[in-house]
Amino acid sequence: MADKQKILIVDDDENIAELISLYMTKECFETSICGDGNSAIEAVKTFAPDIILLDIMLPGKDGYQVCREVRMTSKVPIIMLSAKGEVFDKVLGLELGADDYMEKPFDSKELVARVKAVLRRYENVSAPSVEKASDVEEVSFTDLVINKTNYAVTYMGKKLDMPPKELELLYFLASTPNHVYTREQLLESIWGYDYVGDTRTVDVHIKRLREKLNDHAAWRIATIYGVGYKFEVMPG
């Protein structure tokens, strides 16, 4: 029998945390609850969760700080939970490395669906596979190699640390140079039909990619205002 996937629930409201735990236990997940940021960071090491449900408003270190510290050592999926519904709060959470963001109050079925969707994406990325040379998914440009088979990006001769969704977005754009995609097309292609976030998710990931890949003389990630984005390859 396969081991249960583990969910770390971080919320200082005991009633909400217990309710989430009940939902997830019914779905055959193993859960652990933390009520503050410091214990959450320690639990990532000791409990080794497969996914974290992280409230923003916490005593001590808030959810943003917890997310930032977890991302220094781990790529475990994080879904942020908050009563704050402003675009700024959502974008900040995503910029710090969260995989999704849900506003409180939320529907239990939607929360379960999002947890399963995020876990599916990470399972697809981390699943071991043996590839033939002809099956390698790789695109190369001057000073840039994007390998989707082993999830590696080499830029200016150095390997970049890049989360799965950033790499998938970069690979998708670079696989069809100079083709313009709308935000909706990118959201659908990279995050899938079951993703219930908004198009700002694409903008945040593009911003992260640009911070890591400075505009090159031979190529760049270009914004087509009012439409979307493309991986632009310069002529010559």
Side-chain angles (χ1 to χ4, degrees):
M1 188 176 182
D3 292 336
K4 291 182 178 180
Q5 290 179 299
K6 297 189 288 186
I7 300 178
L8 178 62
I9 302 164
V10 187
D11 199 311
D12 62 335
D13 187 319
E14 293 183 11
N15 293 329
I16 291 178
E18 291 291 346
L19 196 58
I20 293 174
S21 179
L22 179 63
Y23 296 148
M24 297 304 164
T25 301
K26 285 183 178 179
E27 295 292 326
C28 297
F29 290 103
E30 179 183 346
T31 65
S32 180
I33 296 173
C34 291
D36 63 87
N38 289 321
S39 60
I41 291 170
E42 187 61 31
V44 173
K45 304 172 187 174
T46 57
F47 183 60
D50 294 290
I51 190 169
I52 301 171
L53 301 181
L54 178 62
D55 188 33
I56 291 178
M57 302 301 291
L58 296 169
K61 295 179 178 178
D62 66 16
Y64 293 131
Q65 182 64 27
V66 172
C67 183
R68 185 183 293 111
E69 292 191 26
V70 169
R71 277 291 169 263
M72 291 178 181
T73 59
S74 173
K75 293 183 179 179
V76 60
I78 297 173
I79 298 178
M80 301 199 89
L81 310 174
S82 178
K84 295 182 175 183
E86 298 298 322
V87 170
F88 170 81
D89 299 301
K90 295 180 181 181
V91 171
L92 179 58
L94 292 168
E95 286 184 332
L96 291 174
D99 298 87
D100 203 350
Y101 187 109
M102 284 195 71
E103 292 180 40
K104 294 179 178 179
F106 46 75
D107 180 80
S108 60
K109 291 182 180 179
E110 182 182 353
L111 178 60
V112 170
R114 291 207 192 195
V115 166
K116 291 182 176 179
V118 170
L119 285 171
R120 276 198 302 273
R121 295 201 298 268
Y122 271 75
E123 285 166 1
N124 290 338
V125 168
S126 60
S129 61
V130 178
E131 301 283 351
K132 298 177 182 178
S134 59
D135 294 331
V136 172
E137 294 181 278
E138 181 178 287
V139 290
S140 300
F141 301 89
T142 305
D143 297 323
L144 179 67
V145 179
I146 311 158
N147 188 310
K148 193 183 172 190
T149 302
N150 60 15
Y151 275 77
V153 175
T154 304
Y155 175 57
M156 304 291 284
K158 295 181 179 179
K159 189 167 288 188
L160 292 182
D161 182 21
M162 190 171 288
K165 284 296 151 204
E166 285 181 33
L167 187 147
E168 290 172 17
L169 178 58
L170 177 61
Y171 180 86
F172 184 82
L173 288 169
S175 295
T176 51
N178 299 317
H179 184 96
V180 180
Y181 291 97
T182 66
R183 291 171 177 81
E184 289 78 11
Q185 288 173 324
L186 293 171
L187 194 67
E188 188 175 286
S189 298
I190 307 303
W191 282 266
Y193 290 99
D194 55 4
Y195 185 74
V196 286
D198 58 40
T199 55
R200 286 302 296 264
T201 300
V202 175
D203 297 335
V204 170
H205 282 72
I206 290 289
K207 179 183 175 184
R208 287 188 204 160
L209 286 171
R210 285 173 169 160
E211 289 171 352
K212 295 174 182 178
L213 301 168
N214 298 322
D215 279 354
H216 194 279
W219 49 264
R220 65 173 182 150
I221 299 173
T223 299
I224 308 302
Y225 292 99
V227 183
Y229 299 101
K230 70 175 178 178
F231 188 88
E232 185 175 15
V233 176
M234 311 306 177

